[in-house]
Amino acid sequence: AIKILRPKVVDQVATDLCVLLRAGDLLQEWAPRILPASRIDWRSLLTGFSEGLWEECDLLGEAERQVRFSKNMESVPNVFVPRVYASNPNMMVSEWVDGTPLRAIPSMDRRLIEAQSLMRDAYCQSMYIDGYFHADCHGGNLLWTEGEDGGKLCILDCGLMVDIESSAAEGLLRLSLHLAARDWTSVVQDFIALGFLPNDLSPNLLIEARGIFQRIIGPYLNVGGGVRAASAYSVSSLLDDLSSATVKLPISLPPSMVFLGRAVVQLEGLALRANPDYRLVDDILPVAARIALRSVPKNKLDAGNLEEERQSLLYDLLYENAADSPSNFRGTNENSADMQFSVEKLRFLLTTASRGDVSSTDLEASSSLGLPSTNHSLEDIVNELFRADAARELVAFETFNILDAIGRDALWRGADSLMEVVSNAPSLPFFPTLDSLPNFLSLPFPKKQNFETLAPRLCESEKLILLRLPKIIDDLDDTSDLGLKSTWTEKLVASLSPGVLPGDLKDSALAKLIVIPVVRRTVQEVADLALIRSDPNARATVDAILKESQGRIRVRLESYGLSKELSRKITSLLLRTPWKK
């Protein structure tokens, strides 16, 4: 395929852009008199448009952008960009591709439906990971190709590409997940982070913005675009809300976000032709959840602050205020007493990431990223957890918190009973008491105050979550058959029975948990994946949990009085996996 610039087209475009820039100057001067609250920088906005349009006149630059975009799309299965063979400022030679433009494919055709899912994957990759997206994705620039290995989507014309900062890409991912959860308070904060609203918004305007966004965006999210969206609004109410948004809110329009909005509108139009019931945010939610859980920078040196931003996003998605939900957990070492880990939020992300789509029923049944109403395969959830590279450290941290609390609960139940027996026993002549022993000698039988250093007693919030934890986990049970082979891990699970515990421990959280079917099947699944099938993701997750455990227990041993070297040796010896040499 050969693309050339028409004669004198550069001069004509330059003239048009000069007029556009002059219009920007006039709007910058006169618009504030009509919309005094608006903070739209018209000069900057139209300058951004002009720069994008001017770049389309440089075919050498377009070739470079096409090569970059083509490399990015290699990460998306069945999506490709034509190769570039040669270029100069006035001509570009690229690979010829036989295919059917999506605008020529009939509505609800199989090819259009398949292409729509590929468009979604391509743009999620572009927006959330690469920060580099195609801003002219009309049906003529998207080709459907058929081959021996099935259909593929070809993206043409990289003249108008938009490059955004990693923080903006992170902000778009955050916004998508918050929109799906209908978390309007967080949506307002996302609009601020993306530059649509200023940082110094007053509390009253924050409340106003939350209400306006909920009324304007909410019906669209619930019913989708097109005719359905039009029927979901009252015209007078919609006009009032739009008027309030333009008059009361100091809204800005970053040029890159305007280009993105244009691309999203084009893509949604094609998607509605494939499926009249299409809901944009619900469609991209599973992909966004997988990216949030799995994606980490390939090269940390070149990734800037993206890794920290991804961790911050996961913290935002998996933690909530302690007063918001009883179904969360905070260990004794949690830094913030107000923020607690939410088991339900983690399950929501895992189930969402492991499914193909999410219905509006699921979302309406959820609470602040809550719990989907439909059951899902436990095996899929466990596998998705193991693939959650970005969340692995947070999961390891909170897994230790929960296991540690369960262990300390059982330990103190047994220790209190033992201490009572020892304290009531008659003293023997010439036999030292526990209180008279030095720390290093009393390690096998630590004094009560030293015992609390090694295994702190449960705080009230831990007691509360352990009381509720069996019910929370039992609710996760989908009674699905994992199809696990009968192995020695099955015997391991079968041996987990309250009957093997001493009498004083039969009322512990441990005893209540090991009889729950979903717990027993999860233990067997983890053991099979890590020990028998040698799954690298399962082993990486177990390693992360053991590393977290080693560090936290080492601190307790040092506080007890052991040296750093001895503490390290003890934890390394006791907490190691069979696959570690």
Side-chain angles (χ1 to χ4, degrees):
I2 301 176
K3 184 175 183 178
I4 62 173
L5 290 180
R6 293 179 179 275
K8 299 183 180 180
V9 71
V10 174
D11 295 336
Q12 294 173 1
V13 171
T15 301
D16 292 340
L17 294 183
C18 286
V19 174
L20 186 62
L21 291 173
R22 178 54 182 157
D25 293 335
L26 293 174
L27 286 171
Q28 189 71 19
E29 181 179 353
W30 287 95
R33 304 182 186 186
I34 303 173
L35 301 172
S38 174
R39 295 194 184 183
I40 297 176
D41 187 341
W42 292 100
R43 185 180 292 113
S44 174
L45 177 62
L46 295 183
T47 297
F49 290 164
S50 300
E51 290 174 350
L53 295 172
W54 184 249
E55 285 182 349
E56 292 201 71
C57 297
D58 177 16
L59 295 186
L60 181 61
E62 179 176 338
E64 295 173 352
R65 294 189 291 276
Q66 186 161 320
V67 169
R68 176 183 174 184
F69 189 54
S70 176
K71 186 174 182 180
N72 290 346
M73 289 299 99
E74 290 176 359
S75 301
V76 184
N78 299 321
V79 176
F80 70 99
V81 178
R83 293 187 296 270
V84 175
Y85 297 125
S87 65
N88 62 40
N90 299 310
M91 182 183 69
M92 182 177 70
V93 181
S94 61
E95 176 187 7
W96 177 267
V97 177
D98 288 313
T100 305
L102 295 192
R103 66 185 178 191
I105 298 178
S107 297
M108 293 184 284
D109 186 275
R110 172 194 61 82
R111 296 168 295 172
L112 193 59
I113 294 173
E114 293 183 19
Q116 182 273 317
S117 65
L118 295 179
M119 288 189 298
R120 174 202 61 204
D121 295 344
Y123 268 81
C124 285
Q125 171 77 24
S126 298
M127 291 189 301
Y128 302 142
I129 298 179
D130 302 327
Y132 189 68
F133 62 87
H134 193 295
D136 194 19
C137 51
H138 57 77
N141 282 340
L142 301 169
L143 295 182
W144 180 254
T145 67
E146 297 279 3
E148 295 180 357
D149 52 350
K152 293 185 178 182
L153 180 68
C154 176
I155 304 178
L156 305 175
D157 191 359
C158 295
L160 187 57
M161 303 292 297
V162 178
D163 200 348
I164 60 176
E165 299 289 337
S166 62
S167 59
E170 181 70 30
L172 290 171
L173 178 58
R174 189 186 298 268
L175 175 62
S176 300
L177 293 167
H178 287 151
L179 283 172
R182 281 53 165 180
D183 183 354
W184 301 108
T185 299
S186 297
V187 166
V188 173
Q189 296 300 323
D190 296 334
F191 272 87
I192 292 174
L194 290 170
F196 289 103
L197 293 170
N199 290 319
D200 58 351
L201 211 60
S202 68
N204 288 338
L205 282 181
L206 285 172
I207 296 173
E208 183 79 21
R210 182 176 61 190
I212 290 174
F213 289 163
Q214 182 174 0
R215 292 191 297 273
I216 293 178
I217 305 174
Y220 163 77
L221 295 179
N222 292 333
V223 302
V227 177
R228 290 178 179 270
S231 64
Y233 292 97
S234 164
V235 175
S236 59
S237 298
L238 178 60
L239 291 177
D240 288 342
D241 289 328
L242 291 175
S243 175
S244 297
T246 54
V247 174
K248 296 180 180 180
L249 298 181
I251 294 176
S252 299
L253 295 175
S256 61
M257 295 297 109
V258 174
F259 277 123
L260 176 60
R262 175 178 181 267
V264 168
V265 168
Q266 291 176 324
L267 290 171
E268 186 181 38
L270 291 169
L272 285 169
R273 287 184 51 224
N275 176 15
D277 296 327
Y278 181 75
R279 293 178 177 87
L280 174 66
V281 174
D282 292 356
D283 182 49
I284 65 177
L285 178 58
V287 183
R290 283 193 289 272
I291 290 173
L293 288 168
R294 298 182 192 175
S295 297
V296 292
K298 296 179 180 179
N299 188 334
K300 294 183 180 180
L301 296 177
D302 296 335
N305 293 323
L306 184 58
E307 185 178 20
E308 294 179 5
E309 290 161 0
R310 182 76 75 223
Q311 292 292 345
S312 175
L313 169 63
L314 285 170
Y315 188 89
D316 179 48
L317 294 176
L318 297 177
Y319 289 75
E320 61 189 4
N321 191 286
D324 291 342
S325 172
S327 303
N328 45 32
F329 184 86
R330 174 172 51 83
T332 54
N333 292 325
E334 181 63 52
N335 293 328
S336 173
D338 296 328
M339 299 303 293
Q340 296 186 359
F341 179 74
S342 170
V343 176
E344 290 178 346
K345 283 188 173 185
L346 176 61
R347 193 221 174 188
F348 174 82
L349 274 181
L350 293 174
T351 53
T352 299
S354 60
R355 68 176 59 192
D357 58 74
V358 177
S359 68
S360 59
T361 303
D362 290 340
L363 292 167
E364 290 169 3
S366 67
S367 171
S368 178
L369 277 189
L371 195 61
S373 61
T374 55
N375 291 326
H376 202 68
S377 166
L378 176 66
E379 185 177 22
D380 289 339
I381 296 175
V382 171
N383 288 335
E384 191 60 47
L385 175 62
F386 288 155
R387 290 195 294 267
D389 294 342
R392 187 163 287 144
E393 291 185 8
L394 282 178
V395 169
F397 179 84
E398 295 299 345
T399 298
F400 175 83
N401 281 343
I402 294 175
L403 295 179
D404 180 52
I406 293 172
R408 286 186 287 122
D409 172 63
L411 192 61
W412 272 109
R413 287 175 183 270
D416 286 340
S417 298
L418 180 61
M419 292 291 184
E420 183 178 356
V421 171
V422 171
S423 62
N424 293 331
S427 58
L428 299 176
F430 310 109
F431 192 83
T433 64
L434 292 178
D435 290 338
S436 66
L437 292 174
N439 284 348
F440 71 93
L441 289 178
S442 63
L443 182 60
F445 307 99
K447 306 173 189 178
K448 190 171 184 178
Q449 61 270 27
N450 291 332
F451 198 7
E452 293 185 3
T453 301
L454 287 173
R457 287 187 179 273
L458 270 63
C459 62
E460 290 303 315
S461 64
E462 289 176 317
K463 292 178 181 178
L464 183 62
I465 191 61
L466 288 189
L467 183 65
R468 293 171 173 158
L469 190 60
K471 177 65 168 62
I472 295 171
I473 294 180
D474 195 38
D475 287 342
L476 305 183
D477 195 0
D478 59 2
T479 66
S480 62
D481 182 10
L482 288 179
L484 299 176
K485 296 180 179 179
S486 178
T487 62
W488 63 267
T489 58
E490 185 178 15
K491 297 179 180 179
L492 169 67
V493 173
S495 67
L496 299 177
S497 170
V500 303
L501 299 175
D504 296 321
L505 300 184
K506 290 183 179 179
D507 291 329
S508 66
L510 176 63
K512 295 175 182 177
L513 288 170
I514 61 177
V515 298
I516 298 176
V518 69
V519 173
R520 302 170 73 86
R521 296 203 314 276
T522 300
V523 170
Q524 184 178 353
E525 172 71 355
V526 172
D528 273 4
L529 284 171
L531 298 174
I532 297 179
R533 289 182 253 175
S534 302
D535 182 86
N537 291 318
R539 290 189 170 187
T541 302
V542 173
D543 287 339
I545 294 172
L546 290 180
K547 181 180 178 181
E548 178 71 26
S549 303
Q550 288 176 353
R552 303 269 286 275
I553 293 175
R554 191 179 303 136
V555 171
R556 292 182 186 174
L557 290 174
E558 292 173 9
S559 299
Y560 181 78
L562 300 185
S563 67
K564 290 184 177 181
E565 181 63 21
L566 182 57
S567 299
R568 184 190 64 79
K569 289 182 178 180
I570 290 175
T571 54
S572 298
L573 179 64
L574 298 179
L575 299 172
R576 57 181 301 176
T577 55
W579 53 84
K580 287 285 186 180
K581 295 183 179 180

